[in-house]
């Protein structure tokens, strides 16, 4: 993660850039690079829309090779790496985009997920300040930090975080997934089922919640219900490994 920068220094740099903008000639080579990178990015968007994630990744790699500072391309590349099951590569692209000034509110959710997927739980807790965000995004960060604390077996800390998350958002699937996970670990199965059903009412295709529902159905000696939930999860997210396992 990049160290904090001086706000005054950033402001002065911005003022100076504005002052010289009218005097600075356009660099044709730089403009050509940006145009070429944007062309690759546009192709990637089209491929992603059609479900060709592998093709989109190739176009995004071309975009950042041509223009390393085309931050939307780095962000999209990180998100697709994460979707394709490569959280390490996702983290590298997302952290590069973050360090170069990409919108923090867009990057925090996939970046935290990439760290969680690698088991880097302490980083999830220590490197992100949920209070720096508002609304659902703050609740999502708190929920993912809850999951990190669960993995570290610090249940009091997990409880404190999930209570804040639920106070911020009562129906966000990310929050309800974390709450259900914590309730199941503590063998509060009725509470867990309530969280799962609330989450699925909001997002019926949520693979994480569907797997939790399958585990609950299996425990209730309802293998058909468990398989139905797992089949649904795999149909919607074929690359989600936990459903297949």
């Amino acid at each position: 993660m990049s160290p904090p920068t001086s706000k005054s220094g950033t402001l002065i740099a911005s003022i100076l850039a504005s002052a010289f903008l009218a005097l600075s000639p356009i660099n044709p080579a730089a403009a050509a690079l940006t145009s070429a990178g944007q062309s690759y990015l546009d192709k990637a968007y089209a491929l992603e829309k059609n479900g060709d994630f592998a093709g989109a990744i190739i176009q995004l790699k071309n975009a950042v090779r041509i223009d390393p500072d085309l931050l939307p391309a780095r962000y999209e590349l990180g998100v697709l790496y994460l979707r394709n099951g490569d959280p390490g590569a996702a983290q590298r692209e997302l952290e590069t985009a973050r360090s170069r000034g990409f919108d923090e509110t867009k990057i925090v959710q996939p970046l935290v997920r990439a760290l969680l997927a690698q088991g880097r739980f302490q980083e999830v807790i220590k490197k992100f300040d949920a209070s720096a965000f508002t609304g659902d995004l703050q609740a999502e960060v708190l929920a993912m930090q809850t999951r990190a604390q669960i993995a570290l077996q610090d249940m009091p800390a997990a409880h404190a975080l999930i209570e804040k998350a639920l106070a911020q958002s009562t129906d966000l699937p990310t929050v309800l997934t974390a709450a259900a996970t914590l309730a199941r670990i503590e063998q509060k199965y009725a509470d867990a089922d309530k969280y799962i059903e609330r989450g699925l009412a909001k997002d019926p295709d949520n693979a994480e919640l569907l797997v939790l529902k399958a585990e609950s159905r299996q425990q209730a000696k309802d293998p058909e219900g468990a398989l139905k939930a797992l089949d649904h999860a795999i149909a919607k997210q074929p690359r989600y490994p936990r459903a297949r396992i």
Side-chain angles (χ1 to χ4, degrees):
M1 302 297 177
S2 59
T5 57
S6 165
K7 289 185 179 180
S8 60
T10 303
L11 179 59
I12 291 168
S14 176
I15 292 169
L16 289 173
S18 299
F20 284 104
L21 185 60
L23 302 176
S24 301
I26 295 174
N27 184 331
L33 285 176
T34 300
S35 177
Q38 185 64 48
S39 177
Y40 283 122
L41 178 57
D42 292 340
K43 291 176 183 177
Y45 283 141
L47 290 167
E48 183 179 356
K49 186 177 180 180
N50 291 327
D52 184 358
F53 300 136
I57 286 173
I58 291 171
Q59 297 302 324
L60 291 168
K61 285 181 176 180
N62 288 333
V64 298
R65 176 177 54 81
I66 290 290
D67 185 353
D69 290 322
L70 190 59
L71 300 186
R74 286 197 179 276
Y75 168 77
E76 291 294 335
L77 185 55
V79 169
L80 283 184
Y81 276 141
L82 185 59
R83 183 179 293 177
N84 270 18
D86 191 347
Q91 180 196 347
R92 288 192 295 274
E93 293 298 337
L94 293 168
E95 286 188 338
T96 298
R98 186 189 194 200
S99 69
R100 296 185 184 189
F102 193 75
D103 187 349
E104 181 86 356
T105 62
K106 291 182 179 179
I107 219 161
V108 62
Q109 198 254 27
L111 180 53
V112 174
R113 285 187 177 276
L115 292 169
L116 274 177
Q118 296 174 82
R120 301 175 73 161
F121 305 121
Q122 291 288 0
E123 291 179 56
V124 170
I125 295 162
K126 293 180 178 179
K127 292 191 174 183
F128 298 91
D129 179 6
S131 66
F133 309 102
T134 59
D136 283 354
L137 183 55
Q138 182 182 109
E140 286 209 18
V141 174
L142 287 166
M144 289 186 282
Q145 290 179 327
T146 298
R147 293 171 69 170
Q149 294 288 17
I150 291 171
L152 293 169
Q153 300 182 20
D154 188 341
M155 299 310 164
H159 270 289
L161 289 167
I162 199 59
E163 286 172 10
K164 290 180 182 178
L166 286 166
Q168 188 70 31
S169 177
T170 59
D171 64 351
L172 196 66
T174 309
V175 172
L176 293 169
T177 300
T181 300
L182 181 58
R184 282 187 59 77
I185 287 172
E186 296 183 330
Q187 300 182 0
K188 297 176 182 177
Y189 300 120
D191 289 345
D193 287 346
K194 289 178 184 177
Y195 290 131
I196 291 166
E197 293 307 320
R198 275 168 55 188
L200 289 173
K202 184 78 172 180
D203 182 4
D205 298 332
N206 187 293
E208 290 181 301
L209 285 168
L210 287 165
V211 168
L212 286 173
K213 182 173 182 175
E215 290 174 350
S216 176
R217 290 293 80 216
Q218 185 179 20
Q219 188 171 27
K221 302 186 187 306
D222 177 15
E224 290 184 3
L227 285 171
K228 182 178 178 180
L230 293 171
D231 286 343
H232 186 168
I234 290 168
K236 294 300 179 180
Q237 293 193 36
R239 293 181 179 274
Y240 185 55
R242 191 175 164 202
R244 294 187 179 277
I245 292 168

